[in-house]
Amino acid sequence: EIFDYAVAYAIVPKLRRAILSKSWSARTSVSFANTLRRMWPLLTPELQTSIASANLFPAIRLAVQQWHPPTEEQQDTAPLLHQWLPLWLPFIGELASELWRGICH
């Protein structure tokens, strides 16, 4: 219980602030995804759900909505959807089904 308390009040707020910061981007945050992947099993299911639904999913949904296939000139510099979206799928779980409509259209 002490460990869960420490994680909930020391680590989780930092994760939330990082996701909500203006510099965070689902498209370019590979190192954050790797860090989160290591930390995820340490979080309680309730914290995982809270972070996924309140922070990660809205940020990822916005990134998907703002994503456009790169033009020929951008091919080498613009991250492709299939390169960054799969990083987040293990965290958002079933919420990902809400993304598919926007991607398919």
Side-chain angles (χ1 to χ4, degrees):
E1 287 184 25
I2 292 173
F3 179 77
D4 291 341
Y5 180 84
V7 168
Y9 290 96
I11 296 172
V12 170
K14 291 179 183 185
L15 291 174
R16 291 183 192 277
R17 276 194 302 275
I19 295 166
L20 295 173
S21 76
K22 292 187 186 329
S23 63
W24 191 85
S25 168
R27 297 178 193 179
T28 59
S29 296
V30 174
S31 61
F32 184 84
N34 291 333
T35 299
L36 192 57
R37 186 173 295 110
R38 287 189 297 275
M39 296 179 73
W40 204 247
L42 303 176
L43 303 175
T44 64
E46 294 81 13
L47 285 174
Q48 290 176 354
T49 300
S50 175
I51 292 169
S53 62
N55 302 110
L56 278 176
F57 180 71
I60 293 165
R61 181 180 55 210
L62 180 62
V64 168
Q65 290 170 346
Q66 293 176 343
W67 182 84
H68 300 287
T71 63
E72 222 173 282
E73 296 83 33
Q74 298 169 325
Q75 286 289 335
D76 294 334
T77 59
L80 301 173
L81 189 67
H82 72 275
Q83 293 172 320
W84 60 267
L85 184 57
L87 295 172
W88 307 110
L89 298 180
F91 307 114
I92 62 172
E94 295 174 6
L95 293 170
S97 64
E98 295 182 36
L99 298 174
W100 305 139
R101 284 188 304 260
I103 294 171
C104 294
H105 291 101

